[in-house]
Amino acid sequence: MGATIRAAIESDLEAITGIYRDAVLHGTASYELEPPDLAEMRKRFETIAGSFYPYIVAEEAERVLGYAYAAPFRTRPAYRFIVEDSIYIAPEAKGRGLGRTLLTQLVAESTRRGFRQMIAVIGDGSAESPSVILHEKLGFTRAGSLKGSGFKHGRWLDTVFMQLAMNGGAGMPPDPDSMPERQFRGQVR
């Protein structure tokens, strides 16, 4: 039986914190050097999910194996139609396609809300990076890179930006009924 994708809830935060802790300590996807504790992860969750952005988990046998969310790319209001994705998978669940399943659902949820662009900011964004490969498979294109932008685990890391247009991208005006536009006008709280 495959994993179920559903909205994250507060009781998932202990598992989410553990997954992110491993990513911070052993990976290069996050440029954090010290893993945040449960209280900090709760604040982050409340900020994202409480602002109507998608925050989802992959669950199997009542165990969270991965999570993903879309958050504001930048805070200035002209950026309101762009979200940045984040995806993290438990070490024992990597290689099973959960990242693709989560990202596919995250794109669908972000599209449904009316966002126009999704940005992936990928640490250690070499061509062989599993995250780069995953995003390319789902239609993201490279939008730029920052060479030597992070130093972690004794080496310099490049950051790659990838981008996916949704809902017509920049080819048409914003939808006045979209979630980001209604939130901007104070109609979504």
Side-chain angles (χ1 to χ4, degrees), residues 27-151:
T28 53
S30 170
Y31 279 15
E32 288 194 76
L33 301 176
E34 297 296 326
D37 63 13
L38 180 59
E40 175 60 24
M41 291 298 284
R42 181 174 285 110
K43 282 188 222 172
R44 294 178 188 189
F45 171 75
E46 290 169 353
T47 298
I48 295 165
S51 297
F52 306 101
Y53 290 89
Y55 201 124
I56 58 178
V57 296
E59 180 185 58
E60 188 175 271
E62 298 182 17
R63 186 158 171 256
V64 173
L65 299 176
Y67 71 99
Y69 60 85
F73 174 65
R74 298 286 182 265
T75 58
R76 292 193 170 98
Y79 286 114
R80 68 188 175 275
F81 295 101
I82 302 175
V83 290
E84 178 180 339
D85 74 54
S86 292
I87 306 157
Y88 294 95
I89 307 296
E92 67 277 9
K94 290 182 179 178
R96 295 181 40 197
L98 292 176
R100 182 182 185 115
T101 302
L102 281 165
L103 183 54
T104 299
Q105 184 64 32
L106 192 64
V107 168
E109 289 291 325
S110 298
T111 299
R112 187 178 62 76
R113 286 169 169 80
F115 291 104
R116 293 302 184 90
Q117 305 284 339
M118 184 173 281
I119 306 298
V121 181
I122 302 171
D124 195 15
S126 68
E128 300 82 30
S129 161
S131 188
V132 169
I133 293 166
L134 168 64
H135 283 83
E136 285 175 341
K137 285 181 180 177
L138 291 180
F140 284 72
T141 58
R142 289 177 182 259
S145 64
L146 302 171
K147 302 291 183 192
S149 56
F151 188 79

